Amino acid sequence: MPVDGIFSSTVDILGKSLDLRAKNHNHISANVANAETPGYMPTRLSFESELKDAVKGNGISKGAVTHPRHIPLKGKGGSVEDVTGTVVETPAKSVGVDNNAVELENEMGKMAENQIMYNASVQLLGKKFEGLKYAIKGGN
């Protein structure tokens, strides 16, 4: 028995956000680990705009196709499950003598921000499941 649609789209979006933030954490960790590697170019996973487009095109925004005979709007994004993000290079403003473009303080700030956003997504997801549990128990 398929369980597609048992949860709201919020659960799917938060789950995908957690996956992508974990991947971004791996990129940032690699940047920190290679702070002394000559010629290393730091990277990060850019996914926010892609996820936003998928949310808008996934029936969450106004103007979504709600019937098979409706005409879809142009520019409709893909599904949330298809969002993978894009790896982009994020060099520091001043590259070292050894062509290493990692600025450790910058990377640690990015890591802290990513961790805060990850934790916020976990808390939101937890609240969503608490609400479902409350409803299943009949409000007790």
Side-chain angles (χ1 to χ4, degrees), residues 2 6 18 28-29 32-33 43 46 49 55 61-62 70-71 80-81 83 86 93 95 111 124-125 128 140:
I6 194 168
L18 289 173
I28 297 169
S29 296
V32 171
T43 61
S46 176
S49 63
V55 167
S61 65
K62 294 179 182 175
H70 287 172
I71 299 171
V80 171
E81 298 87 34
V83 176
T86 306
K93 292 179 181 169
V95 178
M111 185 177 285
L124 288 170
L125 198 54
K128 188 70 174 172
N140 295 325

Side-chain angles (χ1 to χ4, degrees), residues 12-125:
D12 295 335
I13 294 165
L14 288 171
K16 187 53 137 176
S17 175
L18 289 173
D19 290 343
L20 294 169
R21 292 216 174 272
K23 288 179 183 179
N24 191 31
H25 185 81
N26 290 338
H27 284 277
I28 297 169
S29 296
N31 296 343
V32 171
N34 287 293
E36 298 295 324
T37 304
Y40 184 80
M41 183 67 65
T43 61
R44 74 173 179 89
L45 186 68
S46 176
F47 63 88
E48 290 86 357
S49 63
E50 190 179 340
L51 188 60
K52 188 184 293 185
D53 290 344
V55 167
K56 285 181 181 177
N58 202 23
I60 296 167
S61 65
K62 294 179 182 175
V65 176
T66 56
H67 188 275
R69 296 187 69 187
H70 287 172
I71 299 171
L73 299 173
K74 289 185 178 182
K76 180 180 173 184
S79 70
V80 171
E81 298 87 34
D82 295 337
V83 176
T84 57
T86 306
V87 177
V88 293
E89 291 183 343
T90 56
K93 292 179 181 169
S94 60
V95 178
V97 178
D98 61 354
N99 286 334
N100 183 300
V102 176
E103 191 172 82
L104 197 54
E105 296 83 13
N106 210 8
E107 296 303 320
M108 295 305 289
K110 289 177 190 176
M111 185 177 285
E113 178 186 359
N114 192 60
Q115 185 66 42
I116 290 168
M117 296 300 286
Y118 184 91
N119 289 343
S121 296
V122 167
Q123 288 179 349
L124 288 170
L125 198 54

